Amino acid sequence: MTQASTSSAPVTSPPTARGQATRQALLDAAEEVFGQLSFDRASVAEITRRAGVAQGTFYVYFPDKKAAFTELVRHLNHSLRETIAKAVSGHSDRREIERIGFRTFFDYVRGHRALYLIVREAEFVDPDIYRWHYNTLAEGYVEGLDAAKAAGQLSNDLDSTTMSHLLMGIAEFMGGRYVLREEAELSDHIFEQIMGFIDRGLTFQAGVTT
């Protein structure tokens, strides 16, 4: 078996509940191993050891280590988006959605600290999946911002694509600063400063100065 995967295409999900559980156990173990050891130092043997399955079982679900890494990025991306979507479900005010979404993102990072290292490594391990990750997040963001503009909650002066990347950048950097590296506590005061900055940004109108 080689460790070079030829495709970034998603791996087909197993048809049985038992197979899905085993695949999830492998992904959970891969998240730990890649997060702690990096892609180059991680091994299939260590992933299967932590998943509690035979090494040969790995190849039933993934053709090689890179395929598992790529699928893990897809899994974390989907998990993050699903978690935030559930948290904001039922809310229609864009500022409230941003507030809940940011808090949910910080909580998610707290429970998935390997996310940052894995995504950053993806830029070199599989550039296609790296771009897919951020493009997928941005596309969902743009849809939400466009809907808020259509509802009259945001100015049409805002470019949704630009704003989506600005908001994603704030979330990622501040999550790394206050959650991942634990350099300082993400207190309610700091959180309110973050959201105050975002609120002011969302009220942008071309040609208006303060």
Side-chain angles (χ1 to χ4, degrees), residues 10-165:
V11 178
T12 303
S13 181
T16 66
R18 181 177 180 181
Q20 291 169 10
T22 301
R23 178 178 178 275
Q24 186 59 54
L26 286 165
L27 286 173
D28 291 343
E31 183 179 348
E32 290 182 7
V33 175
F34 288 131
Q36 293 173 6
L37 302 179
S38 79
F39 178 80
D40 287 338
R41 293 172 56 210
S43 67
V44 170
E46 182 61 16
I47 292 171
T48 54
R49 185 188 72 79
R50 297 197 193 192
V53 301
Q55 189 168 339
T57 301
F58 177 92
Y59 297 104
V60 174
Y61 299 93
F62 307 104
D64 48 49
K65 185 175 75 168
K66 183 179 176 182
F69 181 90
T70 298
E71 191 62 19
L72 177 60
V73 175
R74 291 186 183 277
H75 169 71
L76 289 170
N77 178 284
H78 174 76
S79 174
L80 172 61
R81 288 185 292 112
E82 183 178 53
T83 300
I84 293 175
K86 288 180 178 178
V88 303
S89 178
H91 296 272
S92 57
D93 181 78
R94 190 65 216 179
R95 287 175 177 78
E96 185 65 15
I97 289 173
E98 290 299 334
R99 176 175 291 273
I100 296 170
F102 266 72
R103 181 66 79 182
T104 303
F105 173 77
F106 293 146
D107 289 343
Y108 187 91
V109 170
R110 205 170 274 113
H112 296 270
R113 294 179 179 274
L115 175 67
Y116 276 69
L117 176 60
I118 290 168
V119 171
R120 286 170 182 168
E121 274 207 301
E123 182 178 7
F124 307 100
V125 175
D126 189 335
D128 287 341
I129 201 66
Y130 175 81
R131 288 189 292 269
W132 174 88
H133 171 72
Y134 284 108
N135 288 341
T136 301
L137 293 178
E139 286 168 6
Y141 230 138
V142 167
E143 288 179 8
L145 293 171
D146 282 346
K149 286 160 68 174
Q153 296 180 7
L154 300 179
S155 170
N156 285 323
D157 290 336
L158 287 172
D159 179 79
S160 296
T161 299
T162 300
M163 186 57 62
S164 71
H165 285 87

Side-chain angles (χ1 to χ4, degrees), residues 139-204:
E139 286 168 6
Y141 230 138
V142 167
E143 288 179 8
L145 293 171
D146 282 346
K149 286 160 68 174
Q153 296 180 7
L154 300 179
S155 170
N156 285 323
D157 290 336
L158 287 172
D159 179 79
S160 296
T161 299
T162 300
M163 186 57 62
S164 71
H165 285 87
L166 287 171
L167 291 166
M168 287 164 54
I170 293 170
E172 183 164 328
F173 187 86
M174 299 309 282
R177 169 74 168 84
Y178 287 102
V179 179
L180 185 68
R181 294 193 295 273
E182 297 181 334
E183 293 178 3
E185 179 187 359
L186 180 60
S187 63
D188 289 341
H189 177 65
I190 294 295
F191 183 76
E192 291 303 325
Q193 287 189 56
I194 295 170
M195 298 317 303
F197 181 84
I198 290 170
D199 283 346
R200 288 189 291 277
L202 291 175
T203 61
F204 168 82

